[in-house]
Structures are given as structure tokens and as C-alpha cells.
């Protein structure tokens, strides 16, 4: 049973998420993936060479945006050598079908810093890196670039980890902030040009 209080899910609750089908994968999970407070995510063989880094657009899937970024399909199987200056997008083996009481946040594994890699999680229609919104249903991707030297990538490697959490309770609701933005714009793309804010838990 999920905890009623807010916070990061421990490993036994992460296992319940797997059992309930909220987290699925194209390949069987292994025991090492479920850590005390996180789930290690694995690269699949599906990847795309990008001309540059990009953020997903609101209300658009990542695959819908690939043509506008001149993405070139490639395979990590059996391996692919990522060179400095290249940016690739890799689909992960894991997918999510979260209930409304869960959200996720990702960060690179600690060993990634020693390799001088940049690894950012991406989800459909979410204009932020490393963020999985509540009730998200869909695939997971990582955007990878290497800064110093070539890196050999292959399916099954884990470069990033996902932490699941029940949302924090905030006295000033997101809807109240949105209403305030409608009355008195809080966010501008340029002076005198209000833009739609991304509001998350106040």
C-alpha cells in the first residue's frame, strides 16, 4: 500500500509499483535495478542522433518532434561509440503508467560524473528535464552527450536513476497560482509578453 504522507518511495514500495504495472519494461527487470530509494533505468537499442539538444514541447510527444530536429535513427546494438560533440536520444527499456498520487524525478548515477557525461531524462509533453509529472503514461528517454572522450554505449546499460514520490502538500495550490497569473501575469518571455508558466507544487 502506498504511503499517505509525502516523500520518496522506499524499495519495498517501488516493488509494489512494479507488481501493479505502474512501471513496466520491454525486458525483464533484474534484482539490482531496485535500490533503497530509486530504480535504475536501462538503455534500449533504439536511439537517434540529434543536431542539438532540445526540450519536449507541451502537448507533443518526443517522437512527433524528432523530424524538426533532423533526428537520424541509429541502433545501440551491439554497441555505439558516442563521440564528443554528439548528442543522442535513447529510448529506455522502462515505461510508466502512473496514478495521480505519484510523480518522479531523475538524476544521473553517481559514476556518470567521473565519465564527464551529460544524461537528462525526457518524457512526452513535459518541457523540463528529469521530471515525470503525476499521472504520466508513456515512454522514457534520455538525452546523452559526452564532453571529454568517446564513450561506448550498449543496450542494458544504466546511466540514470528514477526516484518516485508522493507529491508534497503545498498551502498555495497550483490552480491558485494559475488564477493569479491570469489576473496579473507572473512569467514573461520578454517585457510585456506574458507566457504560460510551468507550475509544479507551488
Amino acid at each position: 500500500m502506498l504511503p499517505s504522507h509525502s516523500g520518496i518511495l522506499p524499495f519495498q514500495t517501488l516493488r509494489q509499483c512494479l507488481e501493479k504495472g505502474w512501471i513496466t519494461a520491454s525486458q525483464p527487470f533484474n534484482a539490482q535495478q531496485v535500490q533503497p530509494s530509486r530504480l535504475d533505468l536501462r538503455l534500449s537499442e533504439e536511439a537517434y542522433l540529434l543536431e542539438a539538444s532540445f526540450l519536449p514541447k507541451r502537448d507533443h510527444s518526443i517522437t512527433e518532434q524528432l523530424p524538426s530536429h533532423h533526428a537520424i535513427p541509429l541502433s545501440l546494438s551491439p554497441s555505439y561509440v558516442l563521440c564528443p560533440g554528439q548528442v543522442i536520444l535513447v529510448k529506455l527499456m522502462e515505461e510508466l503508467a502512473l496514478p495521480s498520487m505519484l510523480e518522479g524525478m531523475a538524476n544521473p548515477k553517481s559514476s556518470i560524473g567521473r565519465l564527464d557525461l551529460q544524461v537528462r531524462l525526457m518524457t512526452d509533453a513535459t518541457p523540463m528535464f528529469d521530471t515525470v509529472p503525476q499521472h504520466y503514461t508513456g515512454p522514457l528517454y534520455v538525452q546523452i552527450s559526452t564532453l571529454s572522450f568517446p564513450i561506448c554505449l550498449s543496450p542494458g546499460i544504466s546511466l540514470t536513476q528514477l526516484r518516485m514520490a508522493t507529491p508534497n502538500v503545498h498551502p498555495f495550490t497550483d490552480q491558485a497560482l494559475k488564477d493569479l497569473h491570469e489576473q496579473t501575469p507572473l512569467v514573461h518571455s520578454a517585457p510585456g509578453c506574458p507566457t504560460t508558466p510551468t507550475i509544479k507544487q507551488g
Side-chain angles (χ1 to χ4, degrees), residues 123-136:
T123 54
D124 287 341
T126 307
M128 293 182 287
F129 289 128
D130 301 326
T131 299
V132 182
Q134 296 175 49
H135 218 286
Y136 178 75

Side-chain angles (χ1 to χ4, degrees), residues 144-165:
I144 309 171
S145 59
T146 177
L147 304 179
S148 298
F149 43 81
I151 297 290
C152 186
L153 302 173
S154 59
I157 288 177
S158 178
L159 301 179
T160 191
Q161 54 199 12
L162 179 68
R163 300 181 193 278
M164 303 299 300

